[in-house]
Every structure is written in structure tokens, then in C-alpha cells.
Amino acid sequence: MTKYVALLRAVNVGGTGKLPMTELKSMCESSGFLNARTYIASGNVVFESKLSEAAVKAKLEKCLASYAGKLVEVLVRTGPEMAAVLAKNPFKSRAANRTVAIFLDERPPKDTLKTMSGQDTEEVALGAREIYVHYGDGMAHSKLKIPAAKRGTARNMNTVAKLADWASG
């Protein structure tokens, strides 16, 4: 069995994509995933499965599409991968609630840093399948745009730490 973390994109953010976490847990259980456990209302779930990462992603996206009537993208990491995201955070000395990992399905394009716009006090670094951003002045008024992050989903380091902890046990 592999422990996975699934991160849903654009769920319960700004009044869009409403999905009760009890429903998400039920979907995981009905998909055959074991010991499903959700964390906060932004679409985070940890569970166990014998399936591959790609099969987990496909199965969960199919179930979510049936529920929502549209594609709900899911980014998946194993427990060790989530721990690595936390360990490789280049902004560890900065506030965890102002630092995010933007999760992607693939490695960020090599030109990611060159194609950004609106950068002010934000610091950006590339990870394996993540883009790390530290918002020095907070996210609320940031004008930073990262085209490579369009299909990703962001979680702050407090959330990443909790999910990594749950997926390691």
C-alpha cells in the first residue's frame, strides 16, 4: 500500500467549486482508497491505495467529474514526495503561512522564472514538480503572475507540513 496525498484544484476557493470534505472522503472510500482523511476545506485528502499515482489521479478525477459535472483537477503526491516538498522548501526561514508550494503534474518549464510578471517582493524558486513562492508582503495584494502555475494548485507550508506528517505515518 502506498500513502497518497491528493490536492484538488479550485475547490472551495472564493465561493467556487463547492465540495464538502465529507463528500470527498466518501468519494475516496467508494473508489477503494483506504483510511481516507481530509484536511481543511480546500480539497486535501490523504489515503492509501495499491494503485499507481496516475491511476489514483484518473480514478479520483473521474469520480469528481461525475459529482461536479465538470473536470476537477487533482494533483497527487506519495507520502515521501510530500515530505521532500517540505524538506526542499528554499524559504524555510520565512513565515510558513506566506510561503507556498504550487503543485504541478510535471517539472516546471525551464523558462518559468523568465515568463513571470508583476514580481515585487515575492521570491520564487523551482522544485521537482513544484514552484515555491514566498510572498513577503502577503498574497492579498500580490500582482505576481506565473504562467507555468496556471494548471497547478498552491498550499502554504503549514498545510504541506500537516499533510506530509499524515502521509508519513
Side-chain angles (χ1 to χ4, degrees):
M1 284 287 187
T2 301
K3 281 203 176 182
Y4 287 105
V5 177
L7 308 164
L8 281 59
R9 188 173 174 279
V11 169
N12 297 340
V13 178
T16 64
K18 292 290 183 187
L19 174 64
M21 293 301 95
T22 54
E23 286 293 323
L24 177 56
K25 183 179 181 195
S26 293
M27 283 181 214
C28 288
E29 291 168 347
S30 70
S31 295
F33 303 148
L34 304 175
N35 303 313
R37 185 175 178 191
T38 61
Y39 179 68
I40 64 176
S42 60
N44 308 293
V45 61
V46 177
F47 54 84
E48 296 175 55
S49 177
K50 291 180 180 178
L51 298 175
S52 69
E53 178 182 317
V56 163
K57 176 181 174 65
K59 195 168 198 177
L60 195 49
E61 283 183 346
K62 182 178 180 183
C63 192
L64 287 161
S66 176
Y67 175 86
K70 64 179 182 176
L71 175 66
V72 176
E73 293 180 86
V74 178
L75 290 296
V76 179
R77 297 294 190 272
T78 64
E81 287 173 327
M82 188 59 87
V85 170
L86 182 63
K88 292 178 181 178
N89 169 17
F91 308 117
K92 289 180 187 141
S93 64
R94 310 293 200 293
N97 65 332
R98 289 188 178 209
T99 303
V100 302
I102 303 169
F103 293 86
L104 307 170
D105 277 328
E106 299 176 353
R107 178 175 287 293
K110 291 181 182 182
D111 67 348
T112 297
L113 301 178
K114 292 177 184 170
T115 60
M116 297 184 319
S117 63
Q119 186 175 11
D120 187 12
T121 61
E122 302 87 357
E123 298 173 85
V124 182
L126 305 182
R129 291 191 294 160
E130 299 79 32
I131 301 170
Y132 294 94
V133 182
H134 171 68
Y135 292 91
D137 294 331
M139 292 178 74
H141 302 293
S142 175
K143 304 278 189 243
L144 181 65
K145 295 203 180 345
I146 307 172
K150 187 175 181 177
R151 302 278 312 257
T153 189
R155 299 295 187 274
N156 74 35
M157 285 300 133
N158 292 326
T159 298
V160 171
K162 178 60 84 174
L163 296 171
D165 179 53
W166 283 8
S168 70

